[in-house]
C-alpha cells in the first residue's frame, strides 16, 4: 500500500467516524426529531419544536446550535423568541403550550408532551381510518 492510499484510507475512516459522531450529537440534541403531524410547521419551527420535545429544557444557545449549528455567523438569539411565538400561535388551538424559563430558555412540560403524543396518535388514527377501503 502506497503512502497516498494509506492517507486516503485514514481520511476516509476519519470522515466516517466524524459523520457518526455528528449523527449521535444531532440525536442527543433532538435535531432530527420530526415536528408534529397534526399542525403545519416550517422547517425551522419543526426543528425547534422537535428539539424542545426531546429534552427537559433548552437554553437559547442550545436551540441556536440545533437550528444553526456550524454556521460561521449565527443569527441573533432574538430569532428564537420569534420562532417560539409562531409555534405557540400554531399550537394554541390544540392546547399545547411552551413554557418560558425566564432569562434561560424554553421547555415543554411532561403534561404537554403527553398531550402532544395523544394528538399524534389521534392524527395517525384518523389517517389510518381514511386509508381503509370502504366496504361495498
Amino acid at each position: 500500500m502506497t503512502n497516498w492510499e494509506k492517507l486516503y484510507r485514514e481520511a476516509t475512516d476519519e470522515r466516517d467516524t466524524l459523520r457518526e459522531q455528528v449523527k449521535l450529537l444531532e440525536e442527543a440534541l433532538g435535531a432530527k426529531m420530526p415536528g408534529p403531524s397534526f399542525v403545519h410547521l416550517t422547517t425551522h419551527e419543526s426543528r425547534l419544536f422537535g428539539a424542545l420535545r426531546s429534552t427537559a429544557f433548552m437554553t437559547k444557545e442550545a436551540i441556536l446550535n440545533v437550528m444553526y449549528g456550524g454556521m460561521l455567523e449565527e443569527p441573533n438569539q432574538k430569532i428564537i423568541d420569534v420562532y417560539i411565538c409562531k409555534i405557540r400561535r400554531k399550537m394554541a388551538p390544540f392546547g399545547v403550550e411552551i413554557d418560558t424559563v425566564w432569562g434561560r430558555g424554553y421547555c415543554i412540560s411532561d403534561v404537554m408532551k403527553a398531550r402532544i403524543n395523544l394528538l399524534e396518535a389521534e392524527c395517525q388514527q384518523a389517517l389510518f381510518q381514511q386509508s381503509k377501503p370502504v366496504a361495498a
Side-chain angles (χ1 to χ4, degrees):
M1 178 183 303
T2 67
N3 273 347
W4 176 250
E5 290 171 328
K6 184 178 178 185
L7 286 172
Y8 179 79
R9 178 176 285 171
E10 288 173 2
T12 302
D13 290 345
E14 184 176 0
R15 179 203 62 205
D16 293 342
T17 300
L18 290 171
R19 284 183 176 168
E20 184 61 29
Q21 289 174 342
V22 167
K23 182 180 172 184
L24 292 171
L25 286 170
E26 286 177 335
E27 289 172 2
L29 289 171
K32 295 296 183 182
M33 187 171 207
S37 59
F38 56 88
V39 65
H40 173 73
L41 298 178
T42 66
T43 302
H44 278 96
E45 291 167 351
S46 290
R47 191 175 294 154
L48 172 52
F49 187 79
L52 285 171
R53 192 174 163 191
S54 68
T55 60
F57 165 80
M58 289 193 80
T59 63
K60 288 184 179 183
E61 293 83 12
I63 293 170
L64 280 173
N65 283 333
V66 167
M67 294 179 66
Y68 301 102
M71 289 181 63
L72 294 177
E73 210 171 299
E74 289 181 349
N76 189 301
Q77 283 188 0
K78 199 71 179 156
I79 193 67
I80 302 304
D81 300 330
V82 173
Y83 282 122
I84 292 291
C85 181
K86 289 180 177 185
I87 295 169
R88 282 177 171 155
R89 191 175 311 127
K90 291 178 180 182
M91 292 296 181
F94 302 98
V96 175
E97 300 172 357
I98 297 174
D99 298 324
T100 300
V101 181
W102 196 83
R104 295 187 57 214
Y106 298 96
C107 66
I108 298 176
S109 70
D110 289 340
V111 171
M112 286 297 121
K113 289 177 183 178
R115 177 153 184 73
I116 293 163
N117 291 337
L118 179 63
L119 289 165
E120 288 283 344
E122 289 173 356
C123 183
Q124 293 300 319
Q125 182 65 26
L127 289 172
F128 177 74
Q129 292 299 328
Q130 288 177 356
S131 68
K132 278 186 172 180
V134 178

